[in-house]
C-alpha cells in the first residue's frame, strides 16, 4: 500500500511546486513601484582574500579551456558584478552535487543488498548537467538585469532633460541626474563617471563604454545624443523624444515577458486536467469493456 501511495505523493508534490513557481500573482501598483530596481546586484566591495570554494574557482578560471561550457560569460558577470572566481566556485559546487547524488543512490542500494552499477555510470553525466546550471542562471539574471537597466535609463533620460531646464551644462546635468537615486544602476553610472574623471574622458564617452560593456543599447544611444552638446545642439527635446521611444520599447518588452510567464502555465494546467479527465473516463471505459 505504501509503495502505491508514493507515486501519487511525488506527482502531487511536483504539481504543487510547478503551480507555486509559475502561477500568476496579483501585484499591487504601490508594491511594484516599491520593488522597482530590486534586481539583486551586489554593491561593489573591497577585494578580500579568497577562501574555500572561491580559491578552487579561481584556480579553475585560470586553467579553464576556451571551449563552450568552460568559458566564463565575462560581459554577463560584469553586469551582475559577480567575480569570475565565485562563478566557477558555484559551477564546482553544482558539479560535486551532481556527481554525489548517483553515488549516494548506489550506496543506498548497496546497503539494501542490491547491486546496481548504472547510477555510478550516470555520475559524470549528471555532474556535467549540474556544471552548466550556473550558466543558465547567469543568463536568466542577466536578461532581467538588462531589462531593469533599460527601465532605469528611461528615468535617467527624464532626469537629465529636467536638469537641462536650468542654466546648466550637459556634463553637469548628467552628474546631477545620476546622484538622484542610490539604485544599483545609478551607482554603476556614477562609478563610470568617476573613472572618466580619472582618465579625463567625457561623460558621454563613459556612458557609451558602459552601454557596450553591459549590453544595453539604450545607454549607447543616450551617450550619442549627449555628444551633440559638443556641437551646441539643443538636447532637451531630443532626450524627451528618446525617452518616449524607450518607454514604448520597455512596455513592449514587459508585455512579451508577461506573455511568456502566462504560457508557462500551460503545463501545470494540463497536469491538473488530464488526471481529472482520466478519473472520469477510465471507469466508464472499463465498465463498457467488461460488458
Amino acid at each position: 500500500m505504501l509503495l502505491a501511495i508514493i507515486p501519487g505523493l511525488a506527482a502531487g508534490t511536483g504539481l504543487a511546486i510547478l503551480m507555486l513557481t509559475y502561477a500568476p500573482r496579483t501585484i499591487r501598483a504601490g508594491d511594484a513601484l516599491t520593488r522597482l530596481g530590486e534586481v539583486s546586484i551586489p554593491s561593489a566591495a573591497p577585494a578580500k582574500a579568497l577562501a574555500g570554494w572561491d580559491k578552487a574557482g579561481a584556480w579553475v578560471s585560470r586553467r579553464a579551456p576556451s571551449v563552450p561550457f568552460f568559458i566564463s560569460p565575462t560581459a554577463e558577470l560584469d553586469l551582475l558584478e559577480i567575480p569570475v572566481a565565485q562563478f566557477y566556485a558555484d559551477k564546482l559546487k553544482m558539479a560535486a552535487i551532481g556527481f554525489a547524488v548517483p553515488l549516494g543512490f548506489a550506496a543506498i542500494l548497496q546497503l539494501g543488498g542490491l547491486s546496481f552499477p548504472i547510477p555510478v555510470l550516470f555520475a559524470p553525466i549528471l555532474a556535467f548537467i549540474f556544471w552548466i546550471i550556473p550558466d543558465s542562471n547567469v543568463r536568466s539574471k542577466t536578461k532581467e538585469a538588462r531589462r531593469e537597466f533599460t527601465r532605469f535609463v528611461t528615468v535617467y533620460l527624464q532626469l537629465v532633460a529636467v536638469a537641462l531646464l536650468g542654466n546648466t551644462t550637459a556634463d553637469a546635468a548628467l552628474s546631477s541626474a545620476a546622484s538622484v537615486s542610490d539604485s544599483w544602476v545609478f551607482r554603476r553610472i556614477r562609478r563610470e563617471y568617476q573613472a572618466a574623471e580619472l582618465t579625463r574622458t567625457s561623460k558621454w564617452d563613459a556612458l557609451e563604454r558602459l552601454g557596450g560593456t553591459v549590453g544595453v543599447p539604450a545607454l549607447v544611444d543616450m551617450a550619442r545624443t549627449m555628444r551633440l552638446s559638443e556641437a551646441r545642439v539643443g538636447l532637451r527635446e531630443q532626450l524627451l523624444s528618446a525617452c518616449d521611444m524607450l518607454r514604448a520599447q520597455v512596455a513592449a518588452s514587459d508585455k512579451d515577458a508577461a506573455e511568456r510567464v502566462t504560457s508557462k502555465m500551460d503545463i501545470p494546467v494540463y497536469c491538473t486536467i488530464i488526471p481529472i479527465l482520466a478519473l472520469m473516463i477510465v471507469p466508464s471505459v472499463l465498465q463498457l469493456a467488461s460488458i
Side-chain angles (χ1 to χ4, degrees):
M1 179 63 71
L2 181 60
L3 293 177
I5 294 174
I6 289 176
L9 289 175
T13 302
L15 180 60
I17 292 173
L18 286 174
M19 294 186 68
L20 289 174
T21 302
Y22 297 114
R25 297 172 175 83
T26 301
I27 301 177
R28 297 181 179 87
D31 295 338
L33 291 174
T34 302
R35 291 197 299 268
L36 183 63
E38 270 195 356
V39 174
S40 179
I41 304 295
S43 301
K48 56 183 180 180
L50 300 178
W53 287 99
D54 288 340
K55 284 186 177 179
W59 185 87
V60 172
S61 67
R62 292 192 297 268
R63 292 165 176 80
S66 298
V67 296
F69 306 116
F70 286 90
I71 302 175
S72 63
T74 307
E76 288 79 2
L77 295 178
D78 181 69
L79 174 61
L80 300 175
E81 299 186 3
I82 298 176
V84 177
Q86 180 182 336
F87 172 72
Y88 278 105
D90 292 339
K91 291 174 74 70
L92 288 174
K93 291 176 188 176
M94 295 302 296
I97 293 173
F99 192 82
V101 167
L103 296 181
F105 184 66
I108 294 174
L109 293 178
Q110 191 71 26
L111 291 175
L114 299 175
S115 179
F116 196 55
I118 293 181
V120 178
L121 300 178
F122 278 142
I125 300 175
L126 198 60
F128 176 75
I129 294 174
F130 275 53
W131 167 269
I132 63 178
I133 287 177
D135 296 84
S136 177
N137 293 337
V138 166
R139 285 194 297 269
S140 176
K141 290 180 179 179
T142 300
K143 187 175 182 179
E144 182 61 30
R146 282 175 176 153
R147 288 180 59 234
E148 193 71 35
F149 207 116
T150 303
R151 188 176 292 110
F152 270 101
V153 171
T154 63
V155 178
Y156 189 45
L157 278 167
Q158 191 81 36
L159 291 172
V160 174
V162 171
L164 288 173
L165 283 172
N167 188 16
T168 183
T169 63
D171 191 272
L174 288 172
S175 297
S176 62
S179 62
V180 169
S181 173
D182 196 39
S183 67
W184 69 273
V185 174
F186 283 82
R187 289 198 305 267
R188 186 67 183 268
I189 292 174
R190 288 198 297 269
R191 288 209 305 271
E192 288 297 321
Y193 287 165
Q194 291 170 1
E197 291 176 358
L198 293 175
T199 57
R200 297 190 179 278
T201 57
S202 64
K203 286 184 171 59
W204 32 91
D205 288 336
L207 280 180
E208 186 171 6
R209 182 173 59 250
L210 176 60
T213 300
V214 300
V216 179
L219 201 60
V220 177
D221 293 339
M222 179 182 178
R224 291 172 180 172
T225 302
M226 294 303 300
R227 186 173 282 113
L228 296 176
S229 64
E230 297 176 345
R232 305 296 181 184
V233 178
L235 292 176
R236 184 171 180 273
E237 291 74 14
Q238 298 188 44
L239 288 175
L240 291 176
S241 176
C243 182
D244 293 337
M245 293 177 58
L246 191 56
R247 286 184 190 277
Q249 294 176 10
V250 169
S253 176
D254 289 343
K255 182 180 179 181
D256 292 340
E259 290 176 352
R260 286 195 298 270
V261 171
T262 302
S263 65
K264 291 180 181 179
M265 280 299 298
D266 293 344
I267 295 177
V269 169
Y270 291 146
C271 291
T272 304
I273 293 176
I274 291 175
I276 295 175
L277 293 176
L279 290 174
M280 295 173 60
I281 296 173
V282 170
S284 301
V285 174
L286 292 177
Q287 186 176 3
L288 292 173
S290 63
I291 295 178

